Amino acid sequence: MRTQVAIVGAGPAGLMLAHLLWLGGIDSVVLELRGREHVERRVRAGVLEHPTVELLREAGVADRLDREGMPHHGISLRFDGADHRVALTELTGKTITVYGQQEVVKDLIAARVAAGEPLHFEVSGVTVDPATPLITFTDAEGAEQRLECDFIAGCDGSHGVCAPRVDATVHKHEYPFAWLGVLAMAPPSHSELIYAYHERGFALHSMRTPEITRLYLQVAPDQRVEDWSDARIWDELGHRLSADGFTLATGPILEKGITTMRSVVTEPMRQDKLFLAGDAAHIVPPTGAKGMNLAIADVWVLAEALGAYFREGRRDLLDAYSDTCLRRVWRAEHFSWWMTSMLHQAPDADAFARKLQLAQLRYVTTSEPAATSLAENYVGLPLQL
């Protein structure tokens, strides 16, 4: 097999890169370990930044997003028993859109299949040679395959085969808490996302559709899902999301899981002709809703660089890829760390620390410049800083 760009991973990063390359007349092959049904069903992020939505529209894959996505013009920071709204659109002129990551993946897979471009699910035994470059793998039928290419894009996440092939410095930060996330068959209890600061721990009220709610609770990293019955989850959410005039809608819990929180940044995001993108290169805590959006920004930069190479023979954008992406990555890392630190209860936090958090929350929600800073980071900075 021979292609111009071999892409490992059929998540939003890999599929979006493949689509952007196809629009630019550049051949690619996408390899994915899991089956199509698994990829399309796995629940991940659900908040799309303004630049992400605009790019999906420009790429012609936003028809269903525009029909079913839920535009939001603000978020609520809930503390002192009340909501304090950050008016995103009034402060920035932009919106966020609630639309599940798995829905973006479905749309991109449908576009790939409609174009008749190579997309291989259920591959195994993938090995990557960044220097040649070359990928070997076993396809779904059990046949050994050899894929030669000009470049490799590692979009296979933090546990994939590509990241270990990059000789890089890996910066890590572990947070002393985790998120218990649930998907519930219950209508949203509020028209916008609620980030709740509470003495018992952080809580987040989000949604996926007008009928399905996504909710999170701060828990200890060593907690087990089995220790959280549905009744206990709803009881704790009721405590942490309580506010004057607020009623929490409940219903059957469809899914639940615990996610530890960490920050990871790989520098550089490249080894020879292998380029990392998305979670393969960096992880952010979910508080700032940046993970998928950073992945989309990465592959936009990479698609532009590959286009310049194949059309004009230019290498400068490829050589600058890592530095270009990392400017936005580190900005998002800081914003996510700041939101996380402001809203969560650290295990060793004393009264002094909690007073500082409340002082910060009150400042952010009463100062227009401070609220604007939060808003412009939340709706999304330009794809390239």
Side-chain angles (χ1 to χ4, degrees), residues 51-80:
T52 300
V53 172
E54 290 298 297
L55 179 60
L56 291 168
R57 287 175 178 151
E58 291 171 12
V61 287
D63 289 350
R64 195 162 66 92
L65 163 63
D66 285 332
R67 291 195 309 270
E68 301 176 14
M70 304 167 68
H72 284 209
H73 300 281
I75 61 171
S76 286
L77 299 180
R78 182 169 289 183
F79 60 95
D80 291 339

Side-chain angles (χ1 to χ4, degrees), residues 26-57:
I26 299 169
D27 293 332
S28 67
V29 172
V30 182
L31 307 176
E32 169 59 43
L33 177 68
R34 305 284 190 174
R36 177 173 177 176
E37 182 179 1
H38 175 87
V39 171
E40 291 184 336
R41 288 173 58 91
R42 56 188 173 192
V43 176
R44 293 291 188 271
V47 175
L48 304 185
E49 294 177 348
H50 183 83
T52 300
V53 172
E54 290 298 297
L55 179 60
L56 291 168
R57 287 175 178 151

Side-chain angles (χ1 to χ4, degrees), residues 184-199:
M185 183 62 71
S189 307
H190 193 274
S191 60
E192 295 175 336
L193 277 70
I194 303 170
Y195 287 79
Y197 174 89
H198 193 274
E199 61 183 9

